[in-house]
Amino acid sequence: MSFDATHQKEQFKSVGTRPLRPDGVDKVTGRARYGADFNMPGQLVARVLRSPHAHARIVKIDTTRAEAVKGVKAVVTADDLPDLTNGDAALFAILDNCMARTKALYDGHAVAAVAAIDEKAAKQALKLIDVEYEVLPHVVDVDAAMAPDAPVLNDAIFTEGVTPKPDTASNVANRSEFGHGDVEAGFEAADFIVERSYKTGQTHQGYIEPHACVASCNPDGTAELWVCTQGHFVYRQNCADLLGLEVSKLRVTSSEIGGGFGGKTHVWAEPVALALSRKAGRPVKLVMSREEVFRASGPTSATSIDVKIGARKDGRITAATATLRYTSGPYPDMWAELGAMTSFACYDLENVKTVGFEVVVNRPKVAAYRAPSAPMAAFAVESAVDELAHKIGMDAVAFRIKNAAKEGTKSSYGPVYGPIGIGPTLEAAKAHPHMSAPLRENQGRGMACGFWFNFGGQTCTDLNINADGTVTLAVGTVDVGGSRASLSLIAAEELGIEYQDVKAVVADTATLGYNDMTDGSRGTFSSSMATISAARNAVEIMRQRAALMWDIPVEDIYWEDGHAKAAGSKYGNLAPLSVKDIAAESGNTGGPIAGHSELVADGAGVSFATHICDVEVDPETGSTRIVRYTVIQDAGKAVHPSYVEGQYQGGAAQGIGWALNEEYIYGDDGRLQNPGFLDYRIPVCSDLPMIDTQILEIPNPNHPYGVRGVGETSIVPPLAAIANAVSNAAGVRMSHIPMSPPRILAALKDAKG
Amino acid sequence: MTAIAVSTTINGDDVEYLCQPDETLLDVLRNRLGLMGTKEGCGTGDCGACSTIMDGRVVCSCLVLGAEAQGRSIETIEGMAQGAELHPLQRKFIEHAALQCGICTPGFLIAAKALLEEKPDPTEEEIRFWLAGNLCRCTGYDKIVRAVQDAAREMRGEAA
């Protein structure tokens, strides 16, 4: 039966309430099991040997001495993970990142691994693996990597997206371009122009749970993997491809996940754990140390961005351009392209052009980090927009309202918008008491906007009506922040039953059809769509069962408020049948009742946010304190408002860390100097104020309840909102993120002359 | 290395174990005693996920040796609820949505319990500085602070 996903529902009973989450007790009692909290009989401990060089040819690896260590059961190198990628460049990048093949491409790149009976033996064996390196010149800075004389990481990379195709290899993997109109003519028509260059440091997702898995390969060709991941079906596919396993024979169970934010969307060490298990013939547990997490997983791109925006005296933008250079680690991806797409997505522009350059460098392979690539682009654009408003003499909010995209606007990256929330979030900001609150000495206020696409994707859900009328909901999107609660609300709403009568679980790869991972803010959006569809299918069956129970035609039965009801006056005496009534008789009316759904959740509604921020800058130390923070964001429909607020607050806090302090620091030797939470300092409780939130609900026309993804957009505006606030507080315009105390002090000193 | 025999008290129960001289209390709890509610986020005392209470004081169990527990009294997350009855902090964390992924939650609960035992009526600033050794990457701390405030109110016998 075809599923109608159009927005219809306006009145809700369950959706929009704030019940207790189903996994709450497990998580406050320590019973919830995360990646490292699982063991198997005969399990070995794995450790990974990593390159100490930023760029080096691997001349020879001799594992003889390591293999001789008592208690060591297996040692693997790239030889144990043969290349089965068959020309698939993205898959090869994952393989090469899991275990370096001919070259180590960054400090921390895995070169070998050991499985032993205990950590002591494993660590001892690591020291006895002899690796002969030929150290090569390295490059970690994005602009330096683009220079003609830069050391080239990969001599097979010739910039794509330019004509004619270059005949020399470089670190620029591709060029992407978006936009429309005539920007030159637009700038001609401008009365004011702001043109600036910006840089942002590389940050890590900083999930508190390190990557962890238990892998078990059996001699009969079957295998199991327990792992903390945002997408166990994707991990199954990656691992099966890289190890030559049949997909059906690899069962992957997602543990509770201790944070991911995009960093747990593709495999890192899991294929290595499986290879060790295959070689040793025993289960293997592999848990990364925090230092390994920083050196060899994550992070986001470092960037260098030029922005030029022109406007007329009346405040209308006439043209806007941006050139965006993003690092991708040693393997090209689409990070610059995403930056180029998102840059000007908030605005209604006649003439716009963005160009992205994807640049490979000797840093870890970049992974998605919450609205990947958008925060850096928004930092640059929203800083320039703010400066332009000041130059024209307009209020920063009014200037943005005048230029905001709306329904029918052709976006800077192509599509024409449906109903969207940028205008409403700006109007809400204008009216918010925060905007008119008094400021003290050395304090300043800033604001900025942000955009994220939101994704949908492949989704499969099972909804089982149990014999007692309660419902078990099996979903395939990993719960990263409360989605079992929101999806239980959705099932309760659609069936017309109580939230407490629904229990949602995340099913493993053997018990449910394929699901894309929880990324792109798709968890609640797409799985709720599949849950509604599954519930409607179950209702169809319940109507049929009621027809049998009553012995009347099914066409005369409709579903309302959780009950099958007979239509028309001729069945007036039939008392409605509840889910419990129908379920109790299911054994006599055709057996178990279930609704299934397999769909591609199209139509994820785009998401916009406006943030307001007050800071206080200490002119003596250059230290910046966040005094007040407000997030205003469109949720489409907030299914469980507490967890929507949580997404808004969490994203803002991550953005604050990015803006003020977080940064990968490399030495001249290309080695990461701060791979730990002491020196890579994320915001702590005493760094932050309460983070106020305002949820707007502009329904997504492509979801039955109007739901939009809510997870990512909140990290997009903070960098610029804080930079604009710092500018208003200290009178200096910061163009380099993070705005650490030394950078602000230097800017203050420069301003004094 | 020769294993060391340790007699200690964990969550009120007498416990004996053997551990290596260089083995952390965290590893003993998780790997030898099966008390995996205590989490490892960094192993260097920077994240607080492994917070436990030792003789009334919050410690990072990754910075304590297993052998140092000899004769001490250790409290872990597994001992926080009284049977089926959750501690007010545990209840308030669920009610206020003060956890998202939940990996930092045991450490926050242990640290907050020690705070409220020492200071039943803390200011917001005192809560924020007391909990500054516990990292949370999901919540932005807002709902955690509110949950602690609400639990403190309830434990003092005040209406919400």
Side-chain angles (χ1 to χ4, degrees):
Chain A
M1 199 178 80
S2 68
F3 170 63
D4 179 8
T6 49
H7 175 235
Q8 300 137 344
K9 201 168 170 69
E10 304 274 351
Q11 301 296 320
F12 298 92
K13 278 185 184 166
S14 295
V15 165
T17 63
R18 301 173 184 243
L20 305 182
R21 64 192 289 163
D23 52 327
V25 173
D26 282 345
K27 286 183 172 169
V28 299
T29 54
R31 290 173 204 163
R33 290 193 304 170
Y34 294 84
D37 301 340
F38 180 76
N39 294 307
M40 286 183 79
Q43 171 184 296
L44 302 171
V45 176
R47 302 289 295 181
V48 177
L49 183 69
R50 298 183 181 279
S51 167
H53 306 295
H55 195 193
R57 192 172 311 286
I58 300 168
V59 180
K60 200 173 82 182
I61 303 182
D62 185 348
T63 60
T64 320
R65 292 197 301 148
E67 282 159 13
V69 172
K70 207 174 167 192
V72 169
K73 301 296 179 185
V75 181
V76 298
T77 64
D79 291 344
D80 297 280
L81 284 161
D83 181 6
L84 307 174
T85 60
N86 214 5
D88 181 334
L91 194 59
F92 181 81
I94 293 175
L95 173 69
D96 195 56
N97 189 48
C98 286
M99 192 62 80
R101 308 189 75 76
T102 56
K103 287 209 292 187
L105 290 162
Y106 56 92
D107 165 43
H109 200 165
V111 294
V114 172
I117 55 164
D118 57 25
E119 194 170 324
K120 197 174 137 198
K123 278 182 172 171
Q124 193 190 345
L126 282 195
K127 287 182 192 158
L128 297 174
I129 297 174
D130 300 302
V131 186
E132 190 185 324
Y133 293 102
E134 177 197 342
V135 177
L136 302 169
H138 66 272
V139 61
V140 296
D141 179 76
V142 62
D143 293 318
M146 291 179 77
D149 59 345
V152 172
L153 270 70
N154 184 341
D155 56 17
I157 290 180
F158 298 84
T159 312
E160 289 181 16
V162 292
T163 4
K165 192 180 173 185
D167 52 14
T168 52
S170 79
N171 294 322
V172 183
N174 64 63
R175 177 190 185 279
S176 51
E177 184 179 326
F178 298 89
H180 54 254
D182 180 345
V183 291
E184 295 312 319
F187 285 122
E188 286 290 314
D191 298 312
F192 298 94
I193 290 177
V194 166
E195 188 170 8
R196 292 277 179 269
S197 295
Y198 305 88
K199 287 197 96 157
T200 65
Q202 182 167 31
T203 56
H204 193 276
Q205 295 85 348
Y207 31 83
I208 307 299
E209 180 198 31
H211 298 271
C213 69
V214 178
S216 176
C217 284
N218 293 329
D220 64 359
T222 62
E224 291 194 34
L225 181 68
W226 163 274
V227 60
C228 57
T229 170
Q230 289 173 247
H232 43 319
F233 293 91
V234 173
Y235 273 38
R236 177 182 64 170
Q237 191 67 50
N238 284 168
C239 289
D241 286 346
L242 296 181
L243 283 120
L245 296 166
E246 282 180 42
V247 169
S248 66
K249 289 187 177 165
L250 173 59
R251 182 177 190 173
V252 182
T253 305
S254 61
S255 68
E256 291 292 342
I257 180 172
F261 315 111
K264 292 174 182 168
T265 53
H266 69 74
V267 295
W268 304 95
E270 294 77 11
V272 175
L274 283 162
L276 282 167
S277 174
R278 183 163 65 181
K279 196 163 183 178
R282 285 168 66 168
V284 168
K285 184 175 199 168
L286 194 159
V287 182
M288 276 197 198
S289 68
R290 177 54 53 184
E291 182 184 323
E292 289 179 288
V293 171
F294 275 113
R295 286 172 71 205
S297 79
T300 192
S301 303
T303 73
S304 157
I305 302 172
D306 307 327
V307 174
K308 183 178 176 184
I309 311 177
R312 287 195 305 259
K313 280 180 289 196
D314 66 358
R316 191 79 178 101
I317 295 174
T318 55
T321 61
T323 304
L324 309 99
R325 296 164 286 266
Y326 279 53
T327 63
S328 64
Y331 312 101
D333 208 306
M334 57 183 301
W335 307 119
E337 190 177 345
L338 287 172
M341 290 172 86
T342 60
S343 309
F344 292 105
C346 291
Y347 298 106
D348 179 16
L349 302 172
E350 202 177 324
N351 307 298
V352 57
K353 178 180 169 184
T354 59
V355 177
F357 292 102
E358 185 84 358
V359 185
V360 296
V361 293
N362 296 113
R363 296 179 181 232
K365 176 177 160 59
V366 165
Y369 179 19
R370 203 170 200 153
S373 301
M376 310 80 136
F379 162 62
V381 167
E382 289 293 291
S383 293
V385 163
D386 222 61
E387 204 176 336
L388 187 53
H390 283 282
K391 212 166 170 177
I392 296 171
M394 270 182 86
D395 170 72
V397 180
F399 179 67
R400 285 174 173 85
I401 289 174
K402 194 170 182 86
N403 292 288
K406 51 191 172 296
E407 188 168 1
T409 293
K410 181 178 166 62
S411 67
S412 56
Y413 63 98
V416 174
Y417 289 130
I420 54 171
I422 180 65
T425 64
L426 281 163
E427 294 289 350
K430 188 177 161 190
H432 199 285
H434 185 165
M435 284 308 278
S436 51
L439 290 164
R440 293 191 202 161
E441 196 187 353
N442 296 324
Q443 293 185 347
R445 177 165 301 136
M447 52 79 57
C449 301
F451 157 87
W452 185 244
F453 309 93
N454 291 338
F455 297 154
Q458 299 183 67
T459 313
C460 178
T461 293
D462 278 356
L463 186 151
N464 289 296
I465 311 279
N466 302 309
D468 62 356
T470 62
V471 169
T472 308
L473 181 66
V475 301
T477 45
V478 171
D479 181 352
V480 297
S483 61
R484 275 165 294 191
S486 61
L487 296 173
S488 297
L489 282 168
I490 294 277
E493 184 76 49
E494 189 66 26
L495 293 169
I497 62 176
E498 297 298 318
Y499 168 80
Q500 287 74 15
D501 288 335
V502 182
K503 170 76 175 173
V505 298
V506 179
D508 66 50
T509 60
T511 51
L512 195 65
Y514 177 83
N515 279 265
D516 285 334
M517 57 201 159
T518 301
D519 69 348
S521 298
R522 73 178 286 274
T524 293
F525 166 75
S526 60
S527 271
S528 69
M529 203 183 265
T531 298
I532 293 168
S533 162
R536 288 180 184 173
N537 291 338
V539 163
E540 269 314 294
I541 295 171
M542 287 192 284
R543 282 177 60 234
Q544 291 163 15
R545 300 300 177 84
L548 285 171
M549 288 165 72
W550 279 332
D551 195 21
I552 67 172
V554 69
E555 296 75 28
D556 288 346
I557 296 173
Y558 65 100
W559 191 264
E560 189 180 70
D561 295 335
H563 290 76
K565 295 179 180 175
S569 53
K570 62 182 168 178
Y571 306 120
N573 296 330
L574 290 174
L577 291 169
S578 68
V579 174
K580 282 185 171 43
D581 297 332
I582 298 168
E585 282 301 307
S586 60
N588 302 320
T589 57
I593 300 170
H596 306 283
S597 175
E598 303 85 28
L599 50 77
V600 177
D602 288 327
V606 293
S607 167
F608 292 91
T610 296
H611 290 198
I612 314 164
C613 165
D614 295 352
V615 302
E616 185 170 311
V617 180
D618 183 334
E620 292 194 4
T621 64
S623 159
T624 301
R625 186 169 67 88
I626 306 293
V627 178
R628 184 171 177 181
Y629 205 98
T630 303
V631 177
I632 304 163
Q633 187 178 318
D634 173 22
K637 176 69 199 173
V639 179
H640 191 307
S642 296
Y643 290 104
V644 174
E645 291 163 2
Q647 291 297 316
Y648 291 6
Q649 292 165 334
Q654 288 181 323
I656 290 167
W658 197 337
L660 293 178
N661 201 56
E662 295 177 34
E663 179 178 26
Y664 269 42
I665 297 167
Y666 282 92
D668 291 339
D669 57 1
R671 297 184 68 175
L672 183 61
Q673 295 190 328
N674 58 337
F677 278 135
L678 188 63
D679 298 316
Y680 182 98
R681 190 176 178 283
I682 70 173
V684 304
C685 199
S686 55
D687 292 335
L688 299 177
M690 293 296 186
I691 297 169
D692 295 331
T693 57
Q694 187 177 347
I695 300 172
L696 302 187
E697 295 185 328
I698 293 114
N700 173 8
N702 305 312
H703 184 283
Y705 295 178
V707 170
R708 295 175 195 263
V710 298
E712 293 172 289
T713 311
S714 52
I715 202 174
V716 182
L719 282 61
I722 295 164
N724 293 337
V726 166
S727 168
N728 290 332
V732 288
R733 172 84 27 209
M734 300 302 296
S735 58
H736 198 155
I737 293 280
M739 296 171 280
S740 56
R743 286 208 180 105
I744 288 187
L745 270 189
L748 288 170
K749 203 173 155 196
D750 282 354
K752 275 186 192 159
Chain B
M1 281 188 284
T2 311
I4 297 171
V6 176
S7 298
T8 186
T9 304
I10 299 181
N11 299 325
D13 296 326
D14 293 341
V15 175
E16 294 190 338
Y17 55 81
L18 293 173
C19 70
Q20 294 295 321
D22 62 351
E23 199 171 336
T24 65
L25 176 60
L26 174 61
D27 283 342
V28 168
L29 291 172
R30 290 181 54 84
N31 301 338
R32 294 191 185 270
L33 304 178
L35 295 172
M36 291 196 287
T38 304
K39 306 301 178 191
E40 176 166 346
C42 69
T44 51
D46 299 316
C47 80
C50 67
S51 297
T52 53
I53 295 175
M54 190 175 198
D55 287 348
R57 192 172 145 234
V58 180
V59 293
C60 288
S61 59
C62 71
L63 297 184
V64 176
L65 291 171
E68 289 182 274
Q70 171 65 38
R72 308 291 193 99
S73 176
I74 312 289
E75 292 174 57
T76 71
I77 187 65
E78 288 88 351
M80 197 158 167
Q82 296 302 308
E85 192 181 338
L86 296 181
H87 187 280
L89 277 163
Q90 292 174 308
R91 258 193 298 110
K92 292 300 179 188
F93 264 59
I94 301 175
E95 284 173 24
H96 285 267
L99 52 133
Q100 286 177 32
C101 83
I103 192 86
C104 69
T105 307
F108 267 97
L109 288 167
I110 286 288
K113 179 171 182 275
L115 165 66
L116 298 187
E117 280 167 9
E118 188 171 312
K119 234 179 226 306
D121 191 6
T123 64
E124 182 189 331
E125 193 176 18
E126 285 169 335
I127 293 170
R128 287 188 179 276
F129 275 87
W130 184 282
L131 297 177
N134 293 80
L135 299 181
C136 170
R137 191 61 155 170
C138 292
T139 64
Y141 305 103
D142 181 300
K143 292 180 190 299
I144 291 175
V145 173
R146 291 180 200 277
V148 173
Q149 288 172 324
D150 196 16
R153 266 193 298 271
E154 182 183 300
M155 288 166 72
R156 291 194 306 271
E158 293 169 21

